[in-house]
Amino acid sequence: MAGSDATSLGFWFTGFFQGVNTIAAPQRDRVFTACARSCLAQGSMSLYGELFERVGGDLDAFFCALDKVDGWAATVVEPGRAWTVSFLTCTCPLHTQGHVNTPALCACSRQGMSLVMHELWAAERFEVTLKGSIIAGDSRCVLAIERVS
């Protein structure tokens, strides 16, 4: 492979995402779930876990605490039922290091938040929807979370 800097891998990720975009949503979600699990293991899951413990598992208090974390914004849309979480900057190294510049990458963040919700509130069911993406040109990445059980 010609070139040795990290950005020379961009061609591979372009092809990867072209392929990922051709598979059906359930299989695509499985791919991004595996990616999200690896990303969460780098430290953010422990942050979520610490907040969960600090607020005694109270959902609304969890999102209020998350809103106080630098680089994040969170709101309680409907107490006990709906919330939003925003990432104020894109911190994904695949994007920040210049490998990926497609909003399809943001499915990883959506799957990550879904994993967090299911891990911390295992008896509950949640739907997580991507509402905004910095890579797509929005001012922040926004995830809407709704309790469905």
Side-chain angles (χ1 to χ4, degrees), residues 10-34:
F11 75 91
W12 187 90
F13 287 107
T14 298
F16 175 78
F17 277 97
Q18 287 171 348
V20 164
N21 288 333
T22 66
I23 59 178
Q27 289 78 22
R28 192 170 46 244
D29 284 350
R30 282 191 207 116
V31 170
F32 285 117
T33 296

Side-chain angles (χ1 to χ4, degrees), residues 2-127:
S4 62
D5 73 353
T7 58
S8 67
L9 291 175
F11 75 91
W12 187 90
F13 287 107
T14 298
F16 175 78
F17 277 97
Q18 287 171 348
V20 164
N21 288 333
T22 66
I23 59 178
Q27 289 78 22
R28 192 170 46 244
D29 284 350
R30 282 191 207 116
V31 170
F32 285 117
T33 296
C35 296
R37 190 170 278 116
S38 292
C39 188
L40 287 168
Q42 300 307 305
S44 54
M45 190 64 206
S46 63
L47 167 70
Y48 292 120
E50 289 169 16
L51 292 176
F52 175 84
E53 292 297 322
R54 186 182 324 153
V55 301
D58 180 281
L59 276 159
D60 294 335
F62 174 82
F63 287 101
C64 288
L66 191 56
D67 186 56
K68 293 178 172 88
V69 176
D70 285 340
W72 300 57
T75 58
V76 177
V77 176
E78 187 179 329
R81 187 171 177 282
W83 310 267
T84 62
V85 171
S86 298
F87 304 101
L88 304 182
T89 61
C90 181
T91 59
C92 176
L94 290 177
H95 178 67
T96 61
Q97 294 176 15
H99 300 301
V100 177
N101 197 32
T102 174
L105 178 64
C106 303
C108 182
S109 295
R110 183 182 68 77
Q111 287 301 107
M113 185 56 65
S114 184
L115 285 168
V116 167
M117 299 306 293
H118 293 290
E119 176 76 20
L120 298 178
W121 290 276
E124 302 287 341
R125 213 171 136 246
F126 301 92
E127 185 174 303

